């Protein structure tokens, strides 16, 4: 399974942001940025996308818990 896209509709410091990982060469994608850019929040969003948003999340500071939204596009190994 490959992650092609992570959509941070309302999560942590993000509102309507999209991380496109489908383009370029297949393999390892490195996400980098300055401190407080949201890298760890994006990683928690990926975890929440796959396993659900925990009831006691620290990512409900900009958007209320009920409004947290994450989207994603995955590709199974068979295409």
């Amino acid at each position: 399974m490959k992650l092609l896209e992570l959509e941070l509709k309302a999560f942590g410091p993000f509102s309507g942001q999209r991380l496109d990982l489908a383009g370029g060469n297949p393999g390892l994608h490195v996400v980098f940025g300055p401190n407080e850019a949201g890298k760890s929040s994006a990683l928690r969003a990926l975890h929440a996308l796959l396993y659900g948003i925990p009831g006691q999340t620290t990512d409900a500071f900009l958007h209320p818990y009920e409004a947290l939204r994450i989207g994603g596009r995955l590709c199974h190994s068979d295409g």
Side-chain angles (χ1 to χ4, degrees):
M1 176 175 64
K2 288 194 312 188
L3 176 66
L4 301 176
E5 178 180 287
L6 180 63
E7 190 173 356
L8 303 158
K9 298 176 183 185
F11 190 85
F14 299 107
S15 296
Q17 298 293 315
R18 195 172 140 257
L19 186 59
D20 183 9
L21 302 170
N25 296 328
L28 177 68
H29 291 275
V30 177
V31 177
F32 66 95
N35 291 344
E36 301 298 319
K39 301 176 299 290
S40 295
S41 295
L43 183 60
R44 284 192 305 275
L46 173 60
H47 188 271
L49 173 70
L50 297 174
Y51 301 106
I53 300 172
Q56 296 291 326
T57 183
T58 58
D59 290 299
F61 55 89
L62 182 61
H63 309 283
Y65 180 82
E66 300 78 24
L68 295 178
R69 298 290 181 270
I70 306 162
R73 193 163 51 104
L74 305 171
C75 180
H76 193 271
S77 59
D78 65 1

Coordinates of all heavy atoms in Angstrom, one line a residue:
M1 N 0.8 -1.2 0.0 CA 0.0 0.0 0.0 C 0.9 1.2 0.0 O 1.9 1.3 0.7 CB -0.9 0.0 1.2 CG -1.7 1.2 1.4 SD -2.9 1.2 2.7 CE -1.9 1.1 4.1
K2 N 0.5 2.2 -0.8 CA 1.2 3.5 -0.9 C 0.3 4.6 -0.6 O -0.9 4.6 -1.0 CB 1.8 3.7 -2.3 CG 3.0 2.8 -2.7 CD 3.7 3.3 -3.9 CE 2.8 3.7 -5.1 NZ 3.6 3.9 -6.3
L3 N 0.8 5.6 0.1 CA 0.1 6.8 0.4 C 0.3 7.8 -0.8 O 1.5 8.2 -1.1 CB 0.5 7.5 1.7 CG -0.1 8.8 2.0 CD1 -1.6 8.7 2.3 CD2 0.6 9.4 3.2
L4 N -0.7 8.1 -1.5 CA -0.6 9.0 -2.7 C -0.9 10.5 -2.3 O -0.4 11.4 -2.9 CB -1.5 8.6 -3.8 CG -1.3 7.2 -4.3 CD1 -2.4 6.8 -5.4 CD2 0.1 7.0 -4.9
E5 N -1.8 10.7 -1.3 CA -2.2 12.0 -0.9 C -2.7 12.0 0.5 O -3.4 11.1 0.9 CB -3.3 12.5 -1.9 CG -3.9 13.8 -1.6 CD -5.0 14.1 -2.6 OE1 -4.6 14.4 -3.8 OE2 -6.1 14.1 -2.3
L6 N -2.3 13.1 1.2 CA -2.9 13.3 2.5 C -3.5 14.7 2.5 O -2.9 15.7 2.2 CB -1.7 13.3 3.6 CG -2.1 13.5 5.0 CD1 -3.1 12.4 5.5 CD2 -0.9 13.6 5.9
E7 N -4.8 14.7 2.8 CA -5.6 16.0 2.8 C -5.9 16.4 4.2 O -6.6 15.6 4.9 CB -6.8 15.8 2.0 CG -7.5 17.1 1.7 CD -8.7 17.0 0.8 OE1 -8.9 15.9 0.2 OE2 -9.4 18.1 0.6
L8 N -5.4 17.5 4.6 CA -5.6 18.0 6.0 C -6.7 19.1 5.9 O -6.4 20.3 5.9 CB -4.2 18.6 6.5 CG -3.1 17.5 6.5 CD1 -1.8 18.2 6.5 CD2 -3.3 16.6 7.6
K9 N -7.9 18.6 5.9 CA -9.0 19.5 5.7 C -9.2 20.4 7.0 O -9.4 21.6 6.8 CB -10.3 18.8 5.5 CG -10.3 17.9 4.2 CD -11.5 17.1 4.1 CE -11.4 16.2 2.8 NZ -12.6 15.5 2.6
A10 N -9.1 19.9 8.1 CA -9.2 20.6 9.4 C -8.6 19.7 10.5 O -9.2 18.9 11.1 CB -10.7 20.9 9.7
F11 N -7.3 19.9 10.7 CA -6.6 19.1 11.7 C -5.4 19.9 12.2 O -4.6 20.4 11.4 CB -6.1 17.8 11.0 CG -5.6 16.8 12.0 CD1 -6.4 16.0 12.7 CD2 -4.2 16.7 12.2 CE1 -5.9 15.0 13.6 CE2 -3.7 15.8 13.1 CZ -4.6 15.0 13.8
G12 N -5.2 20.0 13.5 CA -4.1 20.7 14.1 C -4.0 22.1 13.5 O -5.1 22.8 13.5
P13 N -2.9 22.6 13.0 CA -2.8 23.9 12.5 C -3.2 24.1 11.1 O -3.2 25.2 10.5 CB -1.3 24.2 12.7 CG -0.7 22.9 12.4 CD -1.6 21.9 13.1
F14 N -3.7 23.0 10.5 CA -4.0 23.0 9.0 C -5.5 23.2 8.8 O -6.4 22.7 9.5 CB -3.6 21.7 8.4 CG -2.1 21.4 8.5 CD1 -1.7 20.5 9.3 CD2 -1.2 22.1 7.7 CE1 -0.3 20.2 9.4 CE2 0.1 21.9 7.8 CZ 0.6 20.9 8.7
S15 N -5.8 24.0 7.7 CA -7.1 24.2 7.2 C -7.0 24.1 5.6 O -6.4 25.0 5.0 CB -7.7 25.5 7.6 OG -7.9 25.6 9.0
G16 N -7.6 23.0 5.1 CA -7.6 22.9 3.6 C -6.3 22.8 2.9 O -6.0 23.3 1.9
Q17 N -5.3 22.0 3.6 CA -4.0 21.8 3.0 C -4.0 20.4 2.4 O -4.7 19.5 2.9 CB -2.9 22.0 4.0 CG -2.9 23.4 4.6 CD -2.4 24.4 3.6 OE1 -1.5 24.1 2.8 NE2 -3.1 25.5 3.5
R18 N -3.1 20.2 1.4 CA -3.0 18.9 0.7 C -1.5 18.6 0.5 O -0.8 19.4 0.1 CB -3.7 19.0 -0.6 CG -4.0 17.7 -1.2 CD -4.9 17.9 -2.5 NE -4.4 17.0 -3.5 CZ -3.7 17.4 -4.5 NH1 -3.4 18.6 -4.7 NH2 -3.3 16.5 -5.4
L19 N -1.1 17.4 0.9 CA 0.2 16.9 0.7 C 0.2 15.8 -0.4 O -0.3 14.7 -0.2 CB 0.8 16.3 2.0 CG 2.2 15.9 2.0 CD1 3.2 17.1 1.7 CD2 2.6 15.3 3.4
D20 N 0.7 16.2 -1.6 CA 0.6 15.3 -2.8 C 1.9 14.5 -2.9 O 3.0 15.0 -3.0 CB 0.4 16.1 -4.1 CG 0.3 15.2 -5.3 OD1 0.2 14.0 -5.2 OD2 0.3 15.8 -6.4
L21 N 1.8 13.2 -2.7 CA 3.0 12.3 -2.8 C 2.9 11.4 -4.0 O 3.7 10.5 -4.1 CB 3.0 11.4 -1.5 CG 3.1 12.2 -0.2 CD1 2.9 11.3 1.0 CD2 4.4 13.0 -0.1
A22 N 2.0 11.6 -4.9 CA 1.8 10.8 -6.1 C 2.8 11.1 -7.2 O 3.2 10.2 -8.0 CB 0.4 10.9 -6.6
G23 N 3.3 12.3 -7.3 CA 4.2 12.7 -8.3 C 5.6 12.3 -8.1 O 6.0 11.9 -7.0
G24 N 6.4 12.5 -9.1 CA 7.8 12.3 -9.0 C 8.1 10.8 -9.1 O 7.3 10.0 -9.5
N25 N 9.4 10.5 -8.7 CA 9.8 9.1 -8.7 C 9.3 8.3 -7.6 O 9.1 8.8 -6.5 CB 11.3 9.0 -8.7 CG 12.0 9.7 -9.9 OD1 11.4 9.6 -11.0 ND2 13.1 10.3 -9.7
P26 N 8.9 7.0 -7.8 CA 8.5 6.2 -6.6 C 9.6 5.9 -5.7 O 10.8 5.9 -6.1 CB 8.0 4.9 -7.3 CG 8.7 4.9 -8.6 CD 8.9 6.3 -9.0
G27 N 9.3 5.8 -4.4 CA 10.3 5.5 -3.4 C 10.0 6.3 -2.2 O 8.9 6.6 -1.8
L28 N 11.1 6.8 -1.6 CA 11.1 7.5 -0.3 C 10.7 9.0 -0.5 O 11.3 9.6 -1.4 CB 12.4 7.4 0.4 CG 12.6 8.1 1.7 CD1 11.7 7.5 2.8 CD2 14.1 8.1 2.1
H29 N 9.8 9.5 0.2 CA 9.5 10.9 0.2 C 9.9 11.5 1.5 O 9.7 10.9 2.6 CB 8.0 11.1 0.1 CG 7.5 10.8 -1.3 ND1 7.5 11.6 -2.4 CD2 6.9 9.6 -1.7 CE1 7.0 11.0 -3.4 NE2 6.6 9.8 -3.1
V30 N 10.6 12.6 1.5 CA 11.1 13.3 2.7 C 10.3 14.6 2.8 O 10.3 15.4 1.9 CB 12.6 13.6 2.6 CG1 13.1 14.3 3.8 CG2 13.4 12.3 2.4
V31 N 9.7 14.7 4.0 CA 9.0 15.9 4.3 C 9.8 16.7 5.3 O 10.2 16.2 6.3 CB 7.6 15.6 4.9 CG1 6.9 16.9 5.3 CG2 6.8 14.7 4.0
F32 N 10.2 18.0 4.9 CA 11.0 18.8 5.7 C 10.5 20.2 5.8 O 9.7 20.6 5.0 CB 12.5 18.8 5.2 CG 12.7 19.4 3.9 CD1 13.0 20.8 3.8 CD2 12.4 18.7 2.7 CE1 13.2 21.4 2.6 CE2 12.6 19.4 1.5 CZ 13.0 20.7 1.4
G33 N 10.9 20.9 6.8 CA 10.5 22.3 7.0 C 11.0 22.8 8.3 O 11.6 22.1 9.1
P34 N 10.9 24.1 8.5 CA 11.4 24.7 9.8 C 10.6 24.2 11.0 O 9.5 23.6 10.8 CB 11.2 26.2 9.5 CG 10.1 26.3 8.5 CD 10.2 25.1 7.6
N35 N 11.1 24.5 12.2 CA 10.4 24.2 13.4 C 9.0 24.8 13.4 O 8.8 25.9 12.9 CB 11.2 24.7 14.6 CG 12.5 23.9 14.8 OD1 12.7 22.8 14.3 ND2 13.3 24.5 15.6
E36 N 8.1 24.1 13.9 CA 6.7 24.5 14.0 C 6.0 24.7 12.7 O 5.0 25.4 12.5 CB 6.6 25.9 14.8 CG 7.1 25.8 16.2 CD 6.3 24.8 17.1 OE1 5.1 24.8 17.0 OE2 7.0 24.1 17.9
A37 N 6.5 24.0 11.6 CA 5.9 24.1 10.3 C 4.7 23.1 10.2 O 3.9 23.2 9.3 CB 6.9 23.7 9.2
G38 N 4.6 22.1 11.1 CA 3.5 21.2 11.0 C 3.8 19.8 10.6 O 3.0 18.9 10.3
K39 N 5.1 19.4 10.6 CA 5.6 18.1 10.2 C 5.0 17.0 11.1 O 4.5 16.0 10.7 CB 7.1 18.0 10.2 CG 7.7 19.0 9.2 CD 9.3 19.0 9.3 CE 9.8 19.3 10.6 NZ 9.7 20.7 11.0
S40 N 5.1 17.2 12.4 CA 4.6 16.3 13.4 C 3.1 16.2 13.4 O 2.5 15.1 13.5 CB 5.1 16.6 14.8 OG 6.5 16.5 14.9
S41 N 2.5 17.3 13.1 CA 1.0 17.3 13.0 C 0.6 16.5 11.8 O -0.4 15.7 11.8 CB 0.5 18.7 12.9 OG 0.7 19.4 14.1
A42 N 1.3 16.6 10.7 CA 1.0 15.8 9.5 C 1.2 14.3 9.7 O 0.4 13.5 9.3 CB 1.9 16.3 8.3
L43 N 2.2 14.0 10.5 CA 2.4 12.6 10.8 C 1.3 12.1 11.7 O 0.8 10.9 11.5 CB 3.8 12.4 11.5 CG 4.2 11.0 11.9 CD1 4.3 10.1 10.6 CD2 5.5 11.0 12.6
R44 N 0.9 12.9 12.7 CA -0.3 12.4 13.5 C -1.5 12.3 12.7 O -2.4 11.5 12.9 CB -0.5 13.4 14.7 CG 0.6 13.3 15.8 CD 0.2 14.0 17.0 NE 0.0 15.4 16.8 CZ 0.9 16.4 16.8 NH1 2.2 16.0 17.0 NH2 0.6 17.6 16.6
A45 N -1.7 13.2 11.7 CA -2.9 13.1 10.8 C -2.8 11.8 10.0 O -3.9 11.2 9.8 CB -2.9 14.3 9.9
L46 N -1.7 11.4 9.5 CA -1.6 10.2 8.8 C -2.0 9.0 9.7 O -2.7 8.1 9.3 CB -0.1 10.0 8.3 CG 0.2 8.6 7.7 CD1 -0.8 8.4 6.5 CD2 1.6 8.6 7.3
H47 N -1.5 9.0 11.0 CA -1.8 8.0 11.9 C -3.3 8.0 12.2 O -4.0 6.9 12.2 CB -1.1 8.2 13.2 CG -1.2 7.1 14.2 ND1 -2.2 7.0 15.1 CD2 -0.5 5.9 14.3 CE1 -2.1 5.9 15.8 NE2 -1.1 5.2 15.4
A48 N -3.9 9.2 12.3 CA -5.4 9.3 12.6 C -6.2 8.9 11.4 O -7.2 8.3 11.5 CB -5.7 10.7 13.0
L49 N -5.7 9.1 10.2 CA -6.3 8.6 9.0 C -6.5 7.1 8.9 O -7.5 6.6 8.6 CB -5.6 9.1 7.7 CG -6.1 8.6 6.4 CD1 -7.4 9.2 6.0 CD2 -5.1 8.9 5.3
L50 N -5.4 6.5 9.3 CA -5.4 5.0 9.3 C -6.0 4.3 10.4 O -6.6 3.3 10.3 CB -3.9 4.5 9.2 CG -3.1 5.0 7.9 CD1 -1.7 4.6 8.0 CD2 -3.8 4.4 6.7
Y51 N -6.0 5.0 11.6 CA -6.5 4.3 12.9 C -7.5 5.1 13.6 O -8.0 4.6 14.6 CB -5.3 4.1 13.8 CG -4.2 3.2 13.2 CD1 -3.0 3.8 12.7 CD2 -4.4 1.8 13.0 CE1 -2.0 3.0 12.2 CE2 -3.4 1.1 12.4 CZ -2.3 1.6 12.0 OH -1.3 0.9 11.4
G52 N -7.9 6.2 13.1 CA -9.0 7.0 13.8 C -8.4 8.1 14.7 O -7.3 8.0 15.2
I53 N -9.1 9.2 14.9 CA -8.7 10.3 15.7 C -8.9 9.9 17.1 O -10.1 9.6 17.5 CB -9.4 11.6 15.3 CG1 -9.1 11.9 13.8 CG2 -9.0 12.7 16.2 CD1 -10.0 13.1 13.3
P54 N -7.9 10.0 18.0 CA -8.1 9.7 19.4 C -9.1 10.7 20.1 O -9.1 11.9 19.7 CB -6.7 9.7 20.0 CG -5.8 10.0 18.9 CD -6.5 10.3 17.7
G55 N -9.8 10.2 21.1 CA -10.7 11.1 21.8 C -10.0 12.2 22.6 O -10.5 13.3 22.8
Q56 N -8.8 11.9 23.0 CA -8.0 12.9 23.8 C -6.8 13.4 22.9 O -5.7 13.4 23.3 CB -7.4 12.2 25.0 CG -8.5 11.7 26.0 CD -9.2 12.9 26.7 OE1 -8.6 13.9 26.9 NE2 -10.4 12.7 26.9
T57 N -7.2 14.0 21.8 CA -6.1 14.5 20.9 C -5.7 15.9 21.2 O -6.5 16.7 21.7 CB -6.6 14.5 19.4 OG1 -5.5 14.9 18.6 CG2 -7.8 15.4 19.2
T58 N -4.5 16.2 21.0 CA -4.0 17.6 21.2 C -4.1 18.4 19.9 O -3.7 19.6 19.9 CB -2.5 17.6 21.6 OG1 -1.7 16.9 20.6 CG2 -2.3 16.9 23.0
D59 N -4.7 17.8 18.9 CA -4.7 18.5 17.6 C -6.1 19.2 17.4 O -6.4 19.6 16.2 CB -4.5 17.5 16.4 CG -3.0 17.1 16.4 OD1 -2.2 17.9 16.2 OD2 -2.8 15.9 16.6
A60 N -6.8 19.4 18.4 CA -8.1 20.1 18.3 C -8.0 21.5 18.9 O -8.9 21.9 19.7 CB -9.2 19.3 19.0
F61 N -7.0 22.2 18.6 CA -6.8 23.6 19.2 C -7.3 24.7 18.2 O -7.8 25.7 18.7 CB -5.4 23.8 19.6 CG -4.4 23.6 18.5 CD1 -4.0 24.7 17.7 CD2 -3.8 22.4 18.4 CE1 -3.1 24.5 16.7 CE2 -2.8 22.2 17.4 CZ -2.5 23.3 16.5
L62 N -7.2 24.5 16.9 CA -7.7 25.4 15.9 C -9.1 25.1 15.5 O -10.0 26.0 15.4 CB -6.8 25.5 14.7 CG -7.1 26.5 13.6 CD1 -7.1 27.9 14.1 CD2 -6.2 26.3 12.4
H63 N -9.4 23.8 15.4 CA -10.8 23.3 15.0 C -11.3 22.5 16.2 O -10.5 21.7 16.7 CB -10.7 22.5 13.7 CG -9.9 23.1 12.6 ND1 -10.5 24.1 11.8 CD2 -8.7 22.9 12.2 CE1 -9.6 24.4 10.9 NE2 -8.5 23.8 11.1
P64 N -12.6 22.6 16.5 CA -13.1 21.8 17.6 C -13.0 20.3 17.2 O -13.0 20.0 16.0 CB -14.5 22.3 17.7 CG -14.8 23.1 16.6 CD -13.6 23.5 15.9
Y65 N -13.0 19.4 18.2 CA -12.9 18.0 17.9 C -13.9 17.5 16.9 O -13.5 16.7 16.0 CB -13.0 17.2 19.3 CG -12.9 15.7 19.1 CD1 -11.6 15.2 19.0 CD2 -14.0 14.9 18.9 CE1 -11.5 13.8 18.8 CE2 -13.8 13.6 18.7 CZ -12.6 13.0 18.7 OH -12.4 11.6 18.5
E66 N -15.1 17.9 17.0 CA -16.2 17.5 16.1 C -15.9 17.9 14.7 O -16.5 17.3 13.8 CB -17.5 18.0 16.6 CG -18.0 17.5 18.0 CD -17.3 18.3 19.1 OE1 -16.9 19.5 18.8 OE2 -17.1 17.8 20.2
A67 N -15.1 18.9 14.5 CA -14.9 19.4 13.1 C -13.6 18.9 12.5 O -13.3 19.3 11.3 CB -14.9 21.0 13.1
L68 N -12.8 18.1 13.2 CA -11.6 17.6 12.6 C -11.8 16.7 11.4 O -12.7 15.8 11.5 CB -10.8 16.8 13.7 CG -10.3 17.6 14.9 CD1 -9.6 16.7 15.9 CD2 -9.4 18.7 14.5
R69 N -11.1 17.0 10.3 CA -11.3 16.2 9.1 C -10.0 15.9 8.4 O -9.2 16.8 8.3 CB -12.2 17.0 8.1 CG -13.6 17.3 8.6 CD -14.4 16.0 8.6 NE -15.8 16.3 9.1 CZ -16.2 16.3 10.3 NH1 -15.4 16.0 11.3 NH2 -17.5 16.5 10.6
I70 N -9.8 14.7 8.0 CA -8.6 14.2 7.3 C -9.1 13.4 6.1 O -10.0 12.6 6.3 CB -7.7 13.4 8.2 CG1 -7.4 14.1 9.5 CG2 -6.4 13.0 7.5 CD1 -7.0 13.1 10.6
G71 N -8.4 13.6 5.0 CA -8.7 12.7 3.9 C -7.4 12.1 3.4 O -6.3 12.6 3.7
G72 N -7.5 11.1 2.5 CA -6.3 10.5 2.0 C -6.6 9.7 0.7 O -7.8 9.3 0.5
R73 N -5.6 9.4 0.0 CA -5.7 8.6 -1.2 C -4.6 7.5 -1.1 O -3.4 7.9 -1.0 CB -5.6 9.4 -2.5 CG -6.1 8.7 -3.7 CD -6.3 9.6 -4.8 NE -5.2 10.5 -5.1 CZ -4.4 10.4 -6.1 NH1 -4.5 9.5 -6.9 NH2 -3.4 11.3 -6.2
L74 N -5.0 6.3 -1.1 CA -4.1 5.2 -1.0 C -4.1 4.3 -2.2 O -5.1 4.3 -2.9 CB -4.4 4.3 0.2 CG -4.5 5.0 1.6 CD1 -5.1 4.0 2.6 CD2 -3.2 5.5 2.0
C75 N -3.0 3.6 -2.5 CA -3.0 2.7 -3.6 C -2.6 1.3 -3.1 O -1.5 1.2 -2.4 CB -1.9 3.2 -4.7 SG -1.8 2.2 -6.1
H76 N -3.4 0.4 -3.4 CA -3.1 -1.0 -3.0 C -2.0 -1.6 -3.8 O -1.7 -1.1 -4.9 CB -4.4 -1.9 -3.1 CG -4.3 -3.2 -2.5 ND1 -3.8 -4.3 -3.1 CD2 -4.6 -3.6 -1.2 CE1 -3.8 -5.3 -2.3 NE2 -4.3 -4.9 -1.1
S77 N -1.3 -2.6 -3.4 CA -0.1 -3.1 -4.1 C -0.5 -3.7 -5.5 O 0.3 -3.7 -6.4 CB 0.5 -4.2 -3.3 OG -0.4 -5.3 -3.0
D78 N -1.8 -4.0 -5.7 CA -2.2 -4.5 -7.0 C -2.7 -3.4 -7.9 O -3.2 -3.6 -9.0 CB -3.2 -5.6 -6.9 CG -4.6 -5.1 -6.3 OD1 -4.7 -3.9 -6.0 OD2 -5.4 -5.9 -6.1
G79 N -2.5 -2.1 -7.5 CA -2.9 -1.0 -8.3 C -4.2 -0.4 -8.0 O -4.7 0.5 -8.5

